[in-house]
């Protein structure tokens, strides 16, 4: 299957804006649909050269792990992959792999879209009983968001608390911030990767330009090298063939396309990927989730009252404009945000199907659907806030200490 | 004084070869004279925007340190600077500064040209009693010379032994290799610097191109940040205003021009520089210099016998072709003025440079570097220049001087044990765990004022 993306990859970074109208743009710093429409995931998969996550793979995961697949797998939130089948082969043979995911700590406030990869990764850790490294790219945010070093490091620690609150296993999880961890074997791997990637190449992949500062240009290897076990000598010493699986949103694919291209040239295994679609903004798929608009998302710091208010007032409804029309034509599920959000967070498949059927036929009203969503989200947020309140600075230090994890595979 | 270089800075890297004929190229990876001629140091100083190291500064150094200036200062080997006068002001006020120099460990074999900055830095350390950090850019060589990480680190360790053999004060010196030390505050500073330098800028300064890999493009901040005391929290914690002086060859100037431009934008002091001219190759002008040609330089591993052989056979002589002519016309010393020692041939870390056509006597030039005694050197120049001394005698004297230096170095190098290495440098797995140095001297050396009376 074609690894390479098609010509005319992400222009990104806002430069070459004309492309944004003609073609969708998906890269780590920009996600824009064509003509202000919806992201075409089929086209994206084809262009990036990754594969659809077929139903059969989901079934295989259930068989191998002996438990129901995570709701994100069942509902196709995680819908694309690279070599995930190889990871399952490895696991089936009784061999190990490790997980790698991350976050760019650009703000203190996390919303539910931010939690998606972490919720899924926790499931993967529990189901496969494997170790996990989590990278906080404070250096990246310092460079892209023009934060001070101190502020970036502070945000990294704050975000680490929310990440820990997702329930990762401390005996199997290493969280690190780049400003604290870069060095030694990790830095050696950065140099090895950087030697294999020309400036022209990063222009093509990420859309960098001659006016960009060399910090940005030098960053991609930093996000690449946690894919290689030798970057973590305190964890994986002597395990150079350990495979890596990266759960992430599909806009991160360019980093790992680059990594997979470089890996064999430096004698390393290619990381596998399992990729999610984009979490929709509250006001609809065509809206932009923006840190400066608190009503564009549900934040993990929102109160139940705040959630109720946001969902009722801002969640885009696919219902008809009058009850009569609604009973007649039913809701447009394609654009209805509450139903989409329930698709992410309502565990019960039967109940979700029921809601879709009834709401789509017009027998259930928007208000009922929103009410159910508010319940689900409130429960999630309350659990998260309790867990978050219990995370101390000592726990953060413990997760972030570069220490061996003797039971990481048990 | 103009800080910025003039337009049309280093093209470098071999790209834009047409410029090499029209204009000299001087950057960390390429030094080429115009039309295969000599490096014009006056033009270089003007283009780079640094300053000549005037005689008065040399005298001032002697006054402040209470000892004769190093031979390299007296003979104009170190001939240019940026803000060296400010460093002397700082010192005179009783404040401190630190030294920073380095080497790109691309080969195991060091020759005398490689030792020049280290010999001079040792003198500075002793004279001013200040701490010193020495950077071994193994990451750079891994990237430019396409060495493996392991090989680069190995070469760094080997080179560190030769550097230690130069006689640095272990209580005041921190040697580090990038692969071992990059991280923490050092990496934070790399990011701060990198944010301030665009790709266009490094193209202009270093001659990078779109075809270069991003390792090269990301490297300059690595060589910049040892100029900032906050890069060494285990040494200079709380001393953010500590000034830095960088002794180096003038081809390194681009790195520190960039650093000086960035420093105020990130709230740091600009480093000062004191810069040397290029060390001449043994064959003078008619041969091609090459790392694969061991006869193009005197190596610190050469035996006395080997030195004798090399000097006698390969050192380019400015003497005449017959004794009669020599007595008549004298040797061609090409000494316009001690401060320029302007010749086109030189030794860099790398190799092939086409030599120039002008007549230059290498033995006398080498004595200019290594013969301490000013009076004797003057005598030799006079007698040899007048034809009363023959090439053989000059070479004999050079062989004596070099042999003595090499023997001392080899004894010192043999004495560098792993224990000594451990105390001087950072080791893998201990990022950030360098130890503190006791470098603050209790008393300043006494200073002689202009009347040569003790204060």
């Amino acid at each position: 299957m074609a690894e390479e993306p098609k010509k005319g990859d992400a222009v990104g970074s806002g430069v070459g804006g004309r492309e944004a109208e003609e073609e969708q743009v998906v890269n780590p710093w920009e996600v824009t649909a064509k003509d202000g429409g919806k992201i075409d995931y089929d086209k994206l998969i084809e262009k990036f050269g990754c594969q659809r996550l077929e139903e059969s793979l989901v079934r295989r995961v259930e068989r191998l792990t002996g438990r129901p697949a995570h709701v994100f797998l069942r509902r196709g939130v995680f819908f694309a992959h690279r070599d995930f089948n190889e990871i399952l082969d490895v696991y089936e043979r009784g061999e190990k792999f490790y997980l790698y995911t991350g976050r760019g700590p650009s703000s203190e406030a996390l919303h539910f879209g931010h939690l998606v990869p972490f919720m899924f990764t926790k499931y993967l850790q529990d189901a496969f009983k494997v170790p996990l490294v989590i990278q906080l790219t404070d250096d990246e945010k310092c460079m892209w968001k023009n934060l001070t070093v101190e502020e970036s490091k502070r945000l990294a620690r704050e975000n680490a608390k929310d990440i820990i609150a997702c329930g990762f296993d401390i005996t199997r999880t290493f969280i690190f911030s780049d400003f604290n961890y870069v060095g030694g074997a990790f830095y050696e791997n950065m140099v090895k990767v950087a030697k294999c990637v020309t400036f022209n190449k990063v222009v093509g992949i990420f859309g960098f330009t001659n006016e960009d500062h060399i910090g940005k240009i030098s960053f991609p290897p930093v996000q690449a090298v946690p894919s290689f076990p030798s970057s973590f000598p305190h964890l994986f010493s002597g395990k150079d063939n350990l495979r890596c699986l990266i759960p992430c949103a599909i806009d991160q694919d360019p980093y790992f396309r680059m990594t997979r291209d470089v890996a064999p040239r430096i004698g390393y295994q290619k990381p596998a990927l399992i990729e999610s679609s984009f979490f929709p903004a509250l006001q609809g798929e065509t809206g932009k989730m923006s840190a400066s608009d608190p009503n564009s998302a549900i934040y993990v710091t929102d109160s139940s009252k705040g959630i109720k208010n946001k969902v009722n007032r801002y969640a885009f409804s696919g219902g008809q404009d009058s009850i009569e029309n609604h009973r007649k034509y039913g809701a447009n599920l394609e654009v209805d945000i509450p139903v989409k959000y329930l698709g992410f967070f309502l565990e019960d498949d039967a109940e979700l199907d029921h809601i879709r059927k009834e709401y789509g036929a017009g027998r259930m009203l928007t208000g009922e659907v929103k009410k159910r969503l508010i319940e689900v989200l409130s429960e999630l947020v309350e659990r998260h806030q309790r867990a978050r309140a219990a995370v101390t600075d000592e726990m953060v230090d413990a997760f972030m200490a570069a220490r061996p994890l003797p039971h990481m595979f048990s």
Side-chain angles (χ1 to χ4, degrees), chain A:
Chain A
M1 219 141 328
E3 180 81 38
E4 275 309 305
K6 303 290 180 299
K7 239 170 127 61
D9 196 1
V11 174
S13 307
V15 178
R18 47 186 166 76
E19 276 229 36
E21 292 115 36
E22 300 156 15
E23 208 172 305
Q24 60 189 9
V25 172
V26 176
N27 69 47
W29 305 282
E30 182 178 354
V31 178
T32 312
K34 177 174 148 172
D35 290 331
K38 300 198 303 184
I39 294 290
D40 185 333
Y41 287 104
D42 287 322
K43 266 199 172 160
L44 195 57
I45 287 184
E46 201 209 329
K47 179 171 173 165
F48 278 6
C50 47
Q51 293 131 264
R52 267 234 174 251
L53 218 164
E54 303 292 352
E55 190 66 17
S56 51
L57 265 183
V58 178
R59 298 283 85 83
R60 191 177 172 202
V61 168
E62 291 187 323
R63 273 198 321 276
L64 286 174
T65 57
R67 64 172 77 187
H70 190 275
V71 62
F72 292 165
L73 273 177
R74 299 198 313 266
R75 310 275 169 78
V77 172
F78 278 81
F79 75 109
H81 76 100
R82 294 181 186 274
D83 291 348
F84 183 49
N85 49 310
E86 284 185 28
I87 293 292
L88 297 181
D89 293 346
V90 158
Y91 183 78
E92 199 161 21
R93 286 201 296 269
E95 287 167 33
K96 308 296 179 189
F97 66 93
Y98 75 101
L99 295 162
Y100 156 39
T101 193
R103 167 169 170 75
S106 56
S107 62
E108 237 171 299
L110 271 74
H111 54 59
F112 270 94
H114 294 138
L115 287 191
V116 162
F118 292 108
M119 293 165 83
F120 189 64
T121 302
K122 170 189 161 50
Y123 150 78
L124 288 171
Q125 181 176 65
D126 291 347
F128 289 95
K129 297 191 181 1
V130 287
L132 160 67
V133 300
I134 301 178
Q135 179 183 45
L136 293 162
T137 58
D138 43 5
D139 50 355
E140 181 210 358
K141 291 309 170 188
C142 176
M143 293 196 276
W144 261 267
K145 300 285 184 184
N146 202 22
L147 304 170
T148 63
V149 169
E150 289 65 35
E151 183 64 2
S152 311
K153 287 164 78 169
R154 190 187 72 78
L155 288 174
R157 273 188 78 88
E158 285 306 302
N159 284 188
K161 293 178 183 169
D162 281 290
I163 290 169
I164 290 168
C166 291
F168 294 105
D169 181 346
I170 195 174
T171 68
R172 276 195 244 266
T173 306
F174 174 51
I175 303 177
F176 64 99
S177 92
D178 289 340
F179 275 135
N180 283 350
Y181 188 68
V182 163
F186 193 97
Y187 178 63
E188 290 174 19
N189 279 340
M190 281 165 59
V191 170
K192 285 185 185 181
V193 169
K195 282 169 76 170
C196 294
V197 183
T198 62
F199 178 73
N200 278 335
K201 190 90 184 157
V202 295
V203 166
I205 297 176
F206 300 105
F208 296 148
T209 72
N210 289 35
E211 283 78 37
D212 280 320
H213 60 66
I214 56 179
K216 290 188 181 182
I217 291 159
S218 65
F219 178 73
V222 182
Q223 185 157 329
V225 306
S227 315
F228 307 132
S230 59
S231 300
F232 304 99
H234 63 290
L235 295 179
F236 303 132
S237 180
K239 295 181 174 58
D240 284 351
N241 276 324
L242 190 64
R243 293 301 298 271
C244 175
L245 172 66
I246 308 174
C248 61
I250 196 165
D251 64 344
Q252 301 297 309
D253 191 83
Y255 278 118
F256 305 115
R257 221 157 53 232
M258 177 197 79
T259 309
R260 286 169 58 91
D261 180 60
V262 169
R265 294 158 63 192
I266 55 177
Y268 288 154
Q269 302 262 36
K270 297 183 187 188
L273 273 75
I274 183 164
E275 302 167 296
S276 66
S277 55
F278 301 112
F279 192 77
L282 207 48
Q283 298 102 322
E285 299 251 27
T286 53
K288 264 182 122 91
M289 245 180 324
S290 160
S292 51
D293 178 5
N295 295 321
S296 59
I298 309 290
Y299 288 86
V300 300
T301 43
D302 286 344
S303 61
S304 304
K305 196 156 159 219
I307 290 174
K308 179 170 173 181
N309 188 50
K310 276 189 191 180
V311 170
N312 280 331
R313 292 186 63 182
Y314 301 105
F316 187 85
S317 170
Q320 300 299 338
D321 45 11
S322 68
I323 294 191
E324 280 152 13
N325 282 339
H326 186 78
R327 299 279 185 213
K328 200 162 168 190
Y329 300 114
N332 181 347
L333 299 182
E334 269 295 306
V335 302
D336 186 272
I337 286 299
V339 158
K340 281 191 183 300
Y341 274 32
L342 285 170
F344 278 81
F345 300 119
L346 178 59
E347 294 261 355
D348 188 335
D349 290 343
E351 187 185 349
L352 182 67
D353 282 342
H354 175 79
I355 290 173
R356 282 185 167 148
K357 194 153 139 243
E358 297 300 293
Y359 187 47
R363 289 187 291 273
M364 191 182 283
L365 298 180
T366 295
E368 295 177 63
V369 181
K370 286 191 170 186
K371 184 159 173 276
R372 185 67 182 111
L373 176 63
I374 291 163
E375 274 169 20
V376 168
L377 292 179
S378 299
E379 196 181 311
L380 276 169
V381 142
E382 271 156 35
R383 189 215 67 78
H384 185 91
Q385 286 170 2
R386 274 195 311 272
R388 174 49 156 106
V391 175
T392 60
D393 277 316
E394 286 71 32
M395 280 171 71
V396 173
D397 291 336
F399 269 93
M400 294 185 75
R403 72 232 182 261
L405 299 173
H407 307 293
M408 57 183 169
F409 291 122
S410 331

